[in-house]
Amino acid sequence: MRQPSINCRTTASLRVVAIGALAALPASSLLAAEVNLPPVSVGAGVRTSFTYFNPDVGDDVSDFELNSARIYINGKVTENISLMFNTDYNAGGTTPESMRVIDAVAQFSFSDQFNIWAGRFLPPSDRANLYGPFYANHWGVYRDGVQDGYPFETEGRNDGVMYWGQFGIAKISAGAFDVQGLTKGSSDVLYAGRVQLDFWDPEGGYYLNSTYYGEKDLLAIGFAGQTAAGNNAYSVDFLLEKKLANSGVVTVEAEYAKYDGLGGYPSPRGSAYQSSDGYYVLGAYVFPQTVGIGKFQVLAKYGQTTYDYATFSNVDQTTTELNLTYLIKDFNARVTLFYIDSSFDPNLGFDNKQLGVGLQVQI
């Protein structure tokens, strides 16, 4: 049977009612109905310091410095696709007084076991590279000839594509990358991989910390390696962190790295070397007592690296660092009094001591 139709007058009346109802809605409700943007987070971080620099050769220098300033932008496109875009100003870089893109990566996350990243980001490497200066436990990162000696495009990052996944206690990552001055413009590709085992609490996500200030109990070991054009680099890193019964936090971090024709630090002699290898050990303790608005942490780090040359005698670098840090809000607000002693054997005139105060703030 044919259904009865609605006459024109009834239809017109319904339209008037609908228009009136829309007019009665607040403008903000209409905008909310029309615009449905995905969630986006924006943050920033600053590291700044005052340093007294005492070189073995030359004049002493006392300087204020903006060590790093970053902007972080993260957002989801769909439930499984997200974007990370970060910039950095680094006073120690090759292009001072300029902002550089350090992370620009499309992230496809389908499960804990299956994630694909493409763009510019931190490749599989040592833990020190995967936590960076803002999430390091100590102030004087990347000065010992050991930490984060893998080749990079900007601030430890390379351009490429990577898979990573979490399987119980194991985190696995592998990818292919290009690096300016190494593989770009040629058929060579840099291949990188890392396997990490977390025996106690798990560490979520791909990027890491060097400490969790007692939020996690950690016993982690990581193995990383990279190869390009027949040259290799590899490392093993270790992190133990435990919150004690008195609420103090003890941390032990260590790494051994060998750069065999790939990566490494600038040569102390000013000429190319065949390979370098070295290690560092770091120990830290956060006191349980709250003093004012924060807690104090003491830290000591010792590193040693050997540079091997084909036509010169080897050079040994020794680096000692001491920190006293006042933790106001973990990585988001902390002040560090630091002392760093760098020496070389044989003495090449680069021995130096640094004493300073560093401030880090993030939002």
Side-chain angles (χ1 to χ4, degrees):
M1 178 183 294
R2 183 177 179 181
Q3 299 295 324
S5 60
I6 301 176
N7 62 37
C8 294
R9 181 174 293 182
T10 303
T11 303
S13 299
L14 291 173
R15 288 176 179 167
V16 171
V17 171
I19 293 172
L22 288 173
L25 290 174
S28 60
S29 298
L30 289 175
L31 289 175
E34 294 174 2
V35 180
N36 185 21
L37 292 176
V40 175
S41 66
V42 179
V46 169
R47 282 167 53 89
T48 185
S49 63
F50 172 79
T51 304
Y52 168 71
F53 184 75
N54 174 229
D56 188 47
V57 177
D59 298 329
D60 295 355
V61 177
S62 298
D63 277 335
F64 290 98
E65 188 170 27
L66 176 60
N67 302 93
S68 181
R70 295 187 175 183
I71 297 174
Y72 314 114
I73 302 174
N74 293 272
K76 293 184 72 68
V77 181
T78 69
E79 184 64 28
N80 303 113
I81 303 174
S82 57
L83 175 69
M84 177 170 63
F85 183 84
N86 302 326
T87 65
D88 179 74
Y89 163 83
N90 190 315
T94 57
T95 55
E97 303 299 337
S98 65
M99 297 292 290
R100 289 167 289 176
V101 175
I102 55 173
D103 292 292
V105 50
Q107 302 164 308
F108 302 85
S109 301
F110 301 102
S111 68
D112 290 343
Q113 295 76 34
F114 192 78
N115 300 270
I116 300 294
W117 286 17
R120 175 174 293 180
F121 53 92
L122 294 173
S125 46
D126 58 349
R127 176 180 283 269
N129 190 34
L130 293 172
Y131 58 62
F134 280 88
Y135 294 90
N137 209 348
H138 61 300
W139 182 264
V141 292
Y142 316 136
R143 304 184 188 187
D144 55 15
V146 183
Q147 285 183 312
D148 186 24
Y150 290 95
F152 61 86
E153 183 86 17
T154 58
E155 305 304 313
R157 278 78 171 170
N158 292 330
D159 300 338
V161 62
M162 173 191 71
Y163 158 83
W164 75 270
Q166 185 85 39
F167 299 87
I169 69 169
K171 193 192 304 287
I172 301 171
S173 55
F177 301 85
D178 274 317
V179 186
Q180 195 70 41
L182 179 64
T183 61
K184 283 192 174 180
S186 73
S187 59
D188 293 327
V189 176
L190 184 145
Y191 297 99
R194 175 179 172 85
V195 176
Q196 178 177 315
L197 303 175
D198 286 295
F199 295 101
W200 292 351
D201 291 344
E203 298 177 79
Y206 173 68
Y207 283 7
L208 302 172
N209 291 2
S210 67
T211 176
Y212 292 84
Y213 293 121
E215 290 186 5
K216 294 178 182 290
D217 287 338
L218 292 177
L219 179 58
I221 185 168
F223 305 90
Q226 295 185 2
T227 183
N231 298 311
N232 306 292
Y234 47 88
S235 62
V236 55
D237 51 73
F238 170 85
L239 180 64
L240 181 150
E241 184 159 282
K242 180 70 175 176
K243 187 173 184 178
L244 305 179
N246 67 351
S247 295
V249 181
V250 62
T251 306
V252 177
E253 180 183 344
E255 179 180 343
Y256 169 81
K258 183 175 181 64
Y259 305 105
D260 191 4
L262 183 68
Y265 279 59
S267 168
R269 289 190 180 276
S271 56
Y273 58 90
Q274 290 181 307
S275 65
S276 69
D277 70 291
Y279 69 93
Y280 72 82
V281 178
L282 178 154
Y285 179 71
V286 177
F287 292 93
Q289 299 84 5
T290 298
V291 180
I293 58 174
K295 295 182 178 181
F296 282 101
Q297 179 198 55
V298 291
L299 180 149
K301 175 175 177 283
Y302 176 84
Q304 188 169 32
T305 300
T306 299
Y307 300 87
D308 298 322
Y309 295 84
T311 56
F312 300 100
S313 60
N314 296 345
V315 176
D316 293 324
Q317 176 184 347
T318 301
T319 307
T320 303
E321 179 176 358
L322 302 174
N323 288 180
L324 175 62
T325 299
Y326 186 55
L327 300 167
I328 302 170
K329 194 177 180 181
D330 297 346
F331 297 112
N332 291 335
R334 59 182 182 177
V335 182
T336 300
L337 175 65
F338 60 89
Y339 169 81
I340 303 172
D341 185 331
S342 300
S343 61
F344 296 86
D345 183 22
N347 190 333
L348 303 175
F350 299 129
D351 293 10
N352 66 84
K353 297 177 178 63
Q354 299 179 48
L355 178 65
V357 178
L359 170 66
Q360 176 173 307
V361 176
Q362 290 189 108
I363 56 173

